[in-house]
Amino acid sequence: MSGDGSNKPAATSSSEILRRIAPILAHQSSMLTISLLTLQPRSQLLMQALKGDTVAVAKQINRGATLVGLCELFLSPSFGAFSDRVGRKPLMLLAPLLALPLKLAVVLRPSANILLIERVLGDALRSMGGATMAAICYADLYDAEVDARTVNEFSNTAAASGMVFAPLLSALLLRRSSDPRLPYIASAVIAGAHAWVARGFLEETSRIRRTGSDSGADGSSKKQPILRPVWDFVRLFTLSARCRVRACLFTLHCMLEGKILQDQASILQLSMDWAADLRSRWTAGFGLAMSAGGMLMQPLRSRLSEHGALRVCHLASLNALLALLGGRFWLALLPFSLAQQRRAASSAWLITETGHLSIGRGEAVGWVTSLRAAVDTVSAVLYQRAYRTAFKRGNPFNMFLLPIAVVALCEIIRVHMARESKAVVADRRQEP
């Protein structure tokens, strides 16, 4: 029992945590597999539907990213509250159940509009019914810091496995058949099997649904309104100057998110006539690089401190983007291993700072999630304009000048924060 009187364990062995959350990890990894299995085939089908017009394909891909961001922005604040009312398990089962007809619709009619609908609904469901619901389930089960860190490591491993396995399976299927709809059939089969198996193995973690009590451990009522304000995340920029700086850094890091850069790389790979199986292998390499980088961050932080490790991440980001600017996609994977770890530091700093301002952790995480969705929405529009401008000027790869400028701004903010931290430490030492 934890110190707040709840029945959550205060400290648990890694093997016991793994045993308890294994079905949730499997759900998280499977939902990512269902989504990423069709990532590159979707681009191929878009090329066919839009008659090889790469500018139109780029516009469609970024439009899809914008709509996914809008769905998450408007639905995420209410999704957790709705799961308090109906339970976590029904919403987790809803994701694969809806993914099944969406994938089959593409198999039967792979038009540009059907592909857009499948991408928007599929990715939004994968994010909210997969990663978001999994995170809420983990919070239901464990609140001790040491347990939360262990759970987060297992969760990152599950996500990385899906990011590597799905593109490799897609490449294998595309090598056996030139029809890009084959991975959609495989994805539909996995979605159906997932829904059937999860119905028996997933357990309800919400205390309200399991006990029938109206109040959780913190005394909150289950009758609280489901519809929540969308723009509450703006408070991250108004709480204090320190919080505003950290929110700005987090915002810029979100503009360099892996899925955003992956979309832009896919657009340029299509313009270079990369085959779908080759693009899938690059995506798998991208996921493997992110997984390897995650394992390197702990020793890096131990040796260089949080700020030193983030400086290395920014330098790696610059090298990766310069490689993409020169069209060297495979070379970019090496620095991406560390580059894609940058957001972990800024999100942790931001949530810690909100805690110092007496903002509840759950509320702060909700604001951060909404902020990320808002940034995803705006970023897709900015990257689309960057691509269109670069294409008109004769070199589409110059679109990567935008994220390079963002990395430079990130490092400027980090240097400012490091100086601020040193000043605070010096002031404390001078106190009697």
Side-chain angles (χ1 to χ4, degrees):
M1 182 176 293
S2 63
D4 61 359
S6 70
N7 57 3
K8 294 180 183 178
T12 315
S13 68
S14 296
S15 59
E16 174 62 22
I17 290 177
L18 179 59
R19 184 194 65 78
R20 194 174 185 189
I21 68 173
I24 306 172
L25 292 172
H27 169 80
Q28 183 181 356
S29 181
S30 179
M31 286 307 305
L32 196 58
T33 299
I34 292 168
S35 177
L36 292 183
L37 189 58
T38 57
L39 175 65
Q40 298 302 344
R42 182 186 300 117
S43 301
Q44 197 73 17
L45 289 170
L46 275 175
M47 283 289 284
Q48 295 175 5
L50 297 174
K51 311 300 182 184
D53 186 344
T54 55
V55 175
V57 169
K59 183 177 181 180
Q60 187 84 336
I61 289 175
N62 285 310
R63 179 186 298 160
T66 300
L67 293 174
V68 171
L70 284 172
C71 284
E72 294 181 9
L73 174 62
F74 285 98
L75 295 180
S76 289
S78 303
F79 208 68
F82 188 57
S83 72
D84 287 339
R85 188 75 61 88
V86 303
R88 321 299 189 209
K89 184 175 178 178
L91 296 183
M92 294 171 81
L93 292 176
L94 181 64
L97 283 173
L98 288 183
L100 175 59
L102 288 172
K103 302 298 181 182
L104 291 178
V106 173
V107 174
L108 297 175
R109 186 177 175 81
S111 66
N113 288 334
I114 294 294
L115 287 164
L116 179 63
I117 294 171
E118 180 270 328
R119 193 268 169 92
V120 173
L121 295 182
D123 279 11
L125 284 169
R126 183 256 299 172
S127 177
M128 292 185 290
T132 300
M133 276 297 103
I136 293 175
C137 288
Y138 299 144
D140 288 337
L141 297 173
Y142 299 100
D143 61 355
E145 183 178 352
V146 62
D147 289 345
R149 190 182 301 115
T150 302
V151 168
N152 188 56
E153 290 172 356
F154 283 133
S155 177
N156 289 340
T157 301
S161 66
M163 291 181 65
V164 175
F165 171 74
L168 287 178
L169 178 58
S170 180
L172 177 63
L173 293 172
L174 291 169
R175 198 178 300 124
R176 290 178 176 271
S177 171
S178 59
D179 190 347
R181 291 179 296 179
L182 183 58
Y184 274 91
I185 296 174
S187 184
V189 170
I190 294 173
H194 180 146
W196 184 77
V197 172
R199 185 180 61 177
F201 284 90
L202 276 178
E203 296 181 2
E204 182 58 65
T205 62
S206 171
R207 182 179 295 107
I208 292 174
R209 298 300 299 175
R210 285 189 286 108
T211 65
S213 170
D214 284 351
S215 298
D218 59 357
S220 61
S221 172
K222 113 176 156 174
K223 294 183 180 179
Q224 288 181 344
I226 290 177
L227 296 179
R228 302 294 179 87
V230 173
W231 305 105
D232 273 0
F233 69 87
V234 175
R235 292 184 61 189
L236 292 169
F237 296 91
T238 61
L239 287 171
S240 70
R242 283 173 56 87
C243 192
R244 180 164 51 252
V245 170
R246 283 149 182 78
C248 287
L249 180 62
F250 177 78
T251 298
L252 293 174
H253 281 171
C254 287
M255 290 184 65
L256 303 168
E257 187 77 14
K259 61 183 179 182
I260 296 175
L261 295 178
Q262 196 173 53
D263 276 346
Q264 311 315 312
S266 180
I267 291 168
L268 292 170
Q269 289 165 356
L270 282 168
S271 69
M272 297 173 65
D273 295 325
W274 278 36
D277 64 323
L278 183 60
R279 286 184 280 112
S280 292
R281 288 200 294 272
W282 187 86
T283 301
F286 188 77
L288 185 61
M290 290 177 63
S291 177
M295 293 185 289
L296 294 173
M297 285 307 294
Q298 183 59 42
L300 198 61
R301 283 193 295 266
S302 299
R303 287 179 174 272
L304 301 179
S305 78
E306 289 279 357
H307 276 282
L310 185 56
R311 181 174 62 246
V312 171
C313 290
H314 287 163
L315 182 60
S317 300
L318 182 60
N319 281 281
L321 292 168
L322 287 173
L324 291 179
L325 184 64
R328 297 183 291 273
F329 290 97
W330 293 104
L331 182 62
L333 292 180
L334 184 60
F336 263 136
S337 61
L338 289 176
Q340 293 307 115
Q341 313 304 318
R342 57 193 161 244
R343 189 167 57 84
S346 58
S347 61
W349 289 342
L350 181 55
I351 292 173
T352 299
E353 185 61 28
T354 58
H356 294 159
L357 298 170
S358 302
I359 303 298
R361 185 177 181 85
E363 188 174 16
V365 170
W367 292 351
V368 168
T369 302
S370 295
L371 174 57
R372 186 174 67 178
V375 175
D376 287 349
T377 302
V378 175
S379 294
V381 176
L382 293 176
Y383 277 99
Q384 169 58 24
R385 291 185 177 179
Y387 176 81
R388 186 170 57 194
T389 301
F391 184 86
K392 287 181 178 179
R393 294 183 178 181
N395 187 0
F397 287 90
N398 282 342
M399 68 175 298
F400 288 112
L401 291 174
L402 170 62
I404 287 173
V406 172
V407 171
L409 287 175
C410 288
E411 181 59 15
I412 291 172
I413 293 176
R414 187 206 64 78
V415 170
H416 169 76
M417 290 174 58
R419 291 175 178 173
E420 177 188 68
S421 298
K422 289 180 180 178
V424 170
V425 172
D427 289 342
R428 286 177 180 173
R429 287 177 177 174
Q430 293 176 2
E431 292 178 357

